[in-house]
Amino acid sequence: MNRQERLEAILADFAAVEGALLPILHEVQAAFGCVDAAAEAAIAHALNLSRAEVHGVVSFYHDFTPEADPRPCVELCRAEACQARGVDALVAAAQAAAGERVKIKTVYCLGLCSAGPAARVGDSLHARLDEAGLVELVKSL
């Protein structure tokens, strides 16, 4: 299935869903690694919205990106609970291990506040990270 067919299939899956914009955007981001201008236009047309309305949502949420990044990504929680548990001391080592090969993305709250510092890679959550554990996680990608 080519990109256009996949996009049309995603839009068809949500055709009867009220408030479908965010679920569609998440599906498009997962399928293509981004929500680009062409996808924004198709989504806007399918939902009878202006492209500006769709772009406003895409640009507001950090989960949506306009261009795909082929690098693996470690989402590192930097919220207050993880800060209190020492995440700031781990960042330099994680970035050094990542180099340009792995993207380290700051996120705020993975829902593991009592078990931080925490990170997510794809759908996998990693809790109670120390420097060695985080570096090992980054190097494993």
Side-chain angles (χ1 to χ4, degrees), residues 1 4-6 8 11 31-32 35 37 46 68 71 73 75 80 99 109 112 114 118 122-123 138 141:
M1 183 178 299
Q4 184 62 34
E5 291 170 340
R6 179 70 181 116
E8 289 172 5
L11 294 171
F32 307 123
V35 181
R71 299 178 296 172
C73 181
E75 295 176 323
E80 289 80 4
C109 196
L112 297 170
S114 65
D123 291 333
V138 169
L141 301 175

Short mmCIF file of all heavy atoms in Angstrom, two decimals, residues 1 4-6 8 11 31-32 35 37 46 68 71 73 75 80 99 109 112 114 118 122-123 138 141:
data_model
loop_
_atom_site.label_atom_id
_atom_site.label_comp_id
_atom_site.label_asym_id
_atom_site.label_seq_id
_atom_site.Cartn_x
_atom_site.Cartn_y
_atom_site.Cartn_z
N MET A 1 0.86 -1.18 0.00
CA MET A 1 0.00 0.00 0.00
C MET A 1 0.90 1.23 0.00
O MET A 1 1.78 1.37 0.84
CB MET A 1 -0.87 -0.04 1.26
CG MET A 1 -1.86 1.09 1.37
SD MET A 1 -2.94 1.05 2.83
CE MET A 1 -3.81 -0.46 2.65
N GLN A 4 -0.33 7.38 -0.22
CA GLN A 4 -1.65 7.97 -0.45
C GLN A 4 -2.75 6.99 -0.07
O GLN A 4 -3.74 7.37 0.57
CB GLN A 4 -1.80 8.43 -1.90
CG GLN A 4 -3.12 9.14 -2.19
CD GLN A 4 -3.30 10.42 -1.39
OE1 GLN A 4 -2.35 11.14 -1.10
NE2 GLN A 4 -4.54 10.71 -1.01
N GLU A 5 -2.59 5.75 -0.46
CA GLU A 5 -3.59 4.73 -0.11
C GLU A 5 -3.68 4.53 1.40
O GLU A 5 -4.77 4.38 1.95
CB GLU A 5 -3.26 3.41 -0.80
CG GLU A 5 -3.43 3.44 -2.30
CD GLU A 5 -2.86 2.21 -2.98
OE1 GLU A 5 -2.02 1.51 -2.37
OE2 GLU A 5 -3.27 1.96 -4.12
N ARG A 6 -2.53 4.53 2.05
CA ARG A 6 -2.52 4.37 3.52
C ARG A 6 -3.20 5.56 4.19
O ARG A 6 -3.97 5.39 5.14
CB ARG A 6 -1.07 4.22 4.02
CG ARG A 6 -0.95 4.08 5.52
CD ARG A 6 -1.49 2.73 5.99
NE ARG A 6 -1.38 2.65 7.42
CZ ARG A 6 -2.41 2.56 8.27
NH1 ARG A 6 -3.63 2.50 7.81
NH2 ARG A 6 -2.22 2.52 9.55
N GLU A 8 -5.51 7.49 2.89
CA GLU A 8 -6.95 7.37 2.62
C GLU A 8 -7.58 6.31 3.52
O GLU A 8 -8.71 6.48 3.98
CB GLU A 8 -7.18 7.04 1.14
CG GLU A 8 -6.89 8.23 0.23
CD GLU A 8 -6.91 7.88 -1.25
OE1 GLU A 8 -7.25 6.72 -1.60
OE2 GLU A 8 -6.58 8.77 -2.06
N LEU A 11 -8.04 7.84 6.99
CA LEU A 11 -9.17 8.77 6.97
C LEU A 11 -10.50 8.01 6.93
O LEU A 11 -11.46 8.38 7.60
CB LEU A 11 -9.05 9.74 5.80
CG LEU A 11 -7.87 10.71 5.89
CD1 LEU A 11 -7.71 11.48 4.58
CD2 LEU A 11 -8.00 11.64 7.07
N ALA A 31 2.12 6.09 11.31
CA ALA A 31 2.28 5.43 10.01
C ALA A 31 3.45 5.98 9.20
O ALA A 31 4.17 5.22 8.54
CB ALA A 31 1.00 5.54 9.20
N PHE A 32 3.65 7.30 9.24
CA PHE A 32 4.62 7.94 8.35
C PHE A 32 5.78 8.60 9.07
O PHE A 32 6.70 9.09 8.43
CB PHE A 32 3.92 8.98 7.48
CG PHE A 32 2.74 8.45 6.72
CD1 PHE A 32 1.49 9.02 6.87
CD2 PHE A 32 2.85 7.35 5.89
CE1 PHE A 32 0.38 8.53 6.20
CE2 PHE A 32 1.76 6.85 5.20
CZ PHE A 32 0.51 7.44 5.36
N VAL A 35 3.57 14.35 10.25
CA VAL A 35 2.33 14.87 9.64
C VAL A 35 2.77 16.04 8.78
O VAL A 35 2.94 17.16 9.26
CB VAL A 35 1.31 15.32 10.71
CG1 VAL A 35 0.03 15.82 10.05
CG2 VAL A 35 0.99 14.19 11.69
N ALA A 37 2.73 18.60 5.22
CA ALA A 37 1.75 19.53 4.66
C ALA A 37 0.70 18.81 3.81
O ALA A 37 -0.48 19.15 3.85
CB ALA A 37 2.45 20.61 3.85
N ALA A 46 -10.88 16.03 4.46
CA ALA A 46 -11.73 14.93 4.92
C ALA A 46 -12.63 15.34 6.09
O ALA A 46 -13.75 14.85 6.22
CB ALA A 46 -10.87 13.74 5.32
N ALA A 68 9.76 13.50 8.96
CA ALA A 68 10.15 12.26 9.62
C ALA A 68 11.63 12.33 10.02
O ALA A 68 12.45 12.88 9.29
CB ALA A 68 9.91 11.07 8.70
N ARG A 71 16.02 8.57 12.93
CA ARG A 71 16.76 8.09 14.09
C ARG A 71 15.81 7.50 15.14
O ARG A 71 14.68 7.96 15.30
CB ARG A 71 17.52 9.25 14.76
CG ARG A 71 18.53 9.92 13.87
CD ARG A 71 19.18 11.07 14.57
NE ARG A 71 18.19 12.11 14.87
CZ ARG A 71 18.43 13.17 15.62
NH1 ARG A 71 19.62 13.36 16.17
NH2 ARG A 71 17.49 14.07 15.83
N CYS A 73 14.36 7.14 18.84
CA CYS A 73 14.12 8.24 19.78
C CYS A 73 13.92 7.71 21.20
O CYS A 73 13.15 6.79 21.42
CB CYS A 73 12.88 9.02 19.34
SG CYS A 73 12.49 10.42 20.40
N GLU A 75 12.51 9.15 24.59
CA GLU A 75 11.79 10.25 25.22
C GLU A 75 12.12 10.20 26.71
O GLU A 75 11.79 9.24 27.40
CB GLU A 75 10.29 10.11 25.00
CG GLU A 75 9.91 10.23 23.54
CD GLU A 75 8.44 10.00 23.30
OE1 GLU A 75 7.85 9.13 23.97
OE2 GLU A 75 7.88 10.69 22.43
N GLU A 80 8.81 17.51 36.96
CA GLU A 80 9.27 17.78 38.32
C GLU A 80 9.58 16.52 39.11
O GLU A 80 10.59 16.45 39.82
CB GLU A 80 8.24 18.63 39.07
CG GLU A 80 8.16 20.07 38.59
CD GLU A 80 7.33 20.24 37.32
OE1 GLU A 80 6.73 19.25 36.83
OE2 GLU A 80 7.29 21.36 36.80
N GLY A 99 24.89 10.82 20.69
CA GLY A 99 25.54 11.49 19.57
C GLY A 99 24.50 11.98 18.58
O GLY A 99 23.45 12.50 18.97
N CYS A 109 6.21 14.08 31.71
CA CYS A 109 5.37 13.09 32.38
C CYS A 109 5.03 11.91 31.49
O CYS A 109 4.33 12.03 30.50
CB CYS A 109 4.10 13.66 32.99
SG CYS A 109 3.40 12.49 34.17
N LEU A 112 5.01 7.78 35.28
CA LEU A 112 5.80 6.93 36.18
C LEU A 112 6.45 7.78 37.27
O LEU A 112 7.60 7.55 37.65
CB LEU A 112 6.87 6.18 35.38
CG LEU A 112 6.37 5.21 34.33
CD1 LEU A 112 7.51 4.72 33.46
CD2 LEU A 112 5.66 4.06 34.99
N SER A 114 6.39 8.01 40.44
CA SER A 114 6.96 7.39 41.63
C SER A 114 8.12 6.47 41.30
O SER A 114 8.77 5.96 42.20
CB SER A 114 5.88 6.61 42.39
OG SER A 114 5.44 5.52 41.61
N ALA A 118 12.39 8.32 34.29
CA ALA A 118 11.73 7.43 33.35
C ALA A 118 11.98 7.87 31.91
O ALA A 118 12.22 9.05 31.64
CB ALA A 118 10.24 7.41 33.62
N GLY A 122 9.49 4.08 21.84
CA GLY A 122 8.31 3.51 21.20
C GLY A 122 7.22 3.34 22.22
O GLY A 122 6.84 4.28 22.91
N ASP A 123 6.75 2.12 22.40
CA ASP A 123 5.71 1.82 23.38
C ASP A 123 6.28 1.25 24.67
O ASP A 123 5.53 0.89 25.58
CB ASP A 123 4.69 0.85 22.80
CG ASP A 123 3.85 1.46 21.71
OD1 ASP A 123 3.66 2.70 21.72
OD2 ASP A 123 3.37 0.71 20.83
N VAL A 138 20.21 3.82 25.54
CA VAL A 138 20.53 4.60 24.33
C VAL A 138 21.43 3.80 23.39
O VAL A 138 21.18 3.76 22.18
CB VAL A 138 21.20 5.94 24.74
CG1 VAL A 138 21.79 6.64 23.52
CG2 VAL A 138 20.24 6.84 25.46
N LEU A 141 19.92 1.07 20.97
CA LEU A 141 19.10 1.44 19.82
C LEU A 141 19.93 1.57 18.54
O LEU A 141 21.06 1.79 18.53
CB LEU A 141 18.38 2.76 20.10
CG LEU A 141 17.47 2.72 21.32
CD1 LEU A 141 16.90 4.08 21.59
CD2 LEU A 141 16.37 1.71 21.13
#
